[in-house]
Structure formats: C-alpha cells, structure tokens
Amino acid sequence: NEIERAAGKTMEEKAHEAKALAKSARESQEKAAEQVAQLPQPKPGEKLDPGAGADRDAAAEAQAQAARDTKRLEQALEGLQDLAKEANPVAAQTAKEGQDLLENKNEVKNMEDLARGMEQIGDPQKAAENKSIKTPTPSEASKQGDEHAQTLKQVEKQLDNYVVEAVGTQLDKLRS
C-alpha cells in the first residue's frame, strides 16, 4: 500500500514537471509567434534593417527554444507512460494520447523547421543557402506558431487529466 501511494505521488510529481515543460514550450511558442507577427514584410531579395533583423533573430530563438522544450516534453510523456503502465493504465493512456498528438503532427520537426525558416526572413543570403527550408512570411510564421501553441495547450490539458487520474487513484487506494 505504501509502495502504491509512493508510485502515485511520483506520477503526480513527474506530471507536474512535464506540465511545466509544456507550459514553457507554449509560452516560448506564443512569444515567437507574437514577435514574428511584428516584423515588416520584406520584398523578395530585400534585407531587413538591423533593428528588424534583431527582432527576427529573437523570434527565431524563441521558436527554437519552444522546439527544444517540446522535444523534452515528448520524452517526459514517454516516461510518464512507462511510469503509469502497471500502476495506472488510464493515466498511461492519457500520457500516450499527449505523446501521440505531438508525434502525429510531427510537432518537434515542424517547430524546428519553422525556427530555421524564421531565421531566413529578410535575409536573402541565408534563404539562398538553405533552400530545403521554406522561408515563411511573418504572418505565415505567426499563424504556424499559433497552431503549435494550440497543440501544446491540448497536451497541457492531457497532463491535467493525467494528474487527476494519478491523484484520484491515490485517493481511491487510501479510502479502501
């Protein structure tokens, strides 16, 4: 009984850590989308002025940070799934659904590609050197960023459900 209680507590703690990762990824994603939306739309072959270039670089870095956090989040969800597999199959399924959501949308790769694309906005030389990544317009990049943020919000909700399940199982065991 003590072991089950400890397992439930560990599941809850790990879920809170994963939720903090999801929140950090979402906030970085929202920041990147907001920053890139403020950029002027450069004409083809035109370089951004130094101030706008610095803003673009800050937006691309926020996007890259969101991608790194999302990659860590995927790993945390896998860990939560393994942790709950035996003790709480419903919680394990909830973690799997969050992980599947990220994997099915290829979220990490798309976020990384968006960061690289954002780095090329208003930098014709970078865009020419890296033709494998499409250079989005600032509004396209912002829209894509908002979509990534919505996916991360969905994962945060999955983690809330995981916590409810982990805590609920603990309470059920205490009552019996």
Side-chain angles (χ1 to χ4, degrees):
N1 204 356
E2 284 297 313
I3 293 172
E4 290 172 348
R5 210 178 355 243
K9 192 70 178 153
T10 301
M11 286 170 50
E12 182 182 1
E13 289 167 0
K14 294 295 182 189
H16 284 297
E17 289 171 16
K19 179 138 181 181
L21 264 177
K23 181 179 182 202
S24 174
R26 179 183 45 80
E27 288 174 347
S28 292
Q29 186 62 68
E30 290 170 345
K31 179 180 174 186
E34 186 179 309
Q35 287 175 319
V36 77
Q38 304 302 315
L39 293 177
Q41 174 57 55
K43 292 178 177 62
E46 183 180 82
K47 212 166 165 53
L48 287 176
D49 68 65
D55 292 343
R56 174 211 48 226
D57 294 345
E61 177 49 39
Q63 180 63 46
Q65 182 61 50
R68 288 189 296 271
D69 286 346
T70 301
K71 185 175 192 132
R72 290 177 41 220
L73 174 60
E74 267 188 356
Q75 294 163 343
L77 287 165
E78 185 177 338
L80 286 173
Q81 193 178 330
D82 289 342
L83 185 64
K85 198 178 291 179
E86 298 298 321
N88 190 326
V90 175
Q93 182 60 33
T94 302
K96 182 179 180 350
E97 289 168 6
Q99 185 182 17
D100 288 350
L101 181 64
L102 294 176
E103 288 178 355
N104 291 342
K105 290 189 171 197
N106 210 1
E107 207 67 15
V108 173
K109 182 187 181 317
N110 290 336
M111 291 169 83
E112 290 169 343
D113 287 351
L114 180 57
R116 286 195 286 283
M118 287 167 66
E119 289 172 351
Q120 298 173 178
I121 295 172
D123 190 335
Q125 184 179 349
K126 252 189 195 168
E129 291 169 359
N130 193 9
K131 290 184 192 242
S132 65
I133 302 292
K134 179 188 177 300
T135 304
T137 65
S139 61
E140 288 170 340
S142 179
K143 183 177 184 289
Q144 288 175 29
D146 288 340
E147 290 167 2
H148 292 308
Q150 287 304 313
T151 300
L152 290 165
K153 277 184 184 174
Q154 289 177 297
V155 173
E156 283 183 88
K157 287 179 184 166
Q158 292 293 114
L159 287 165
D160 286 339
N161 294 338
Y162 184 98
V163 169
V164 165
E165 189 57 42
V167 171
T169 301
Q170 280 180 279
L171 293 174
D172 292 344
K173 296 214 189 275
L174 286 173
R175 287 184 192 122
S176 58

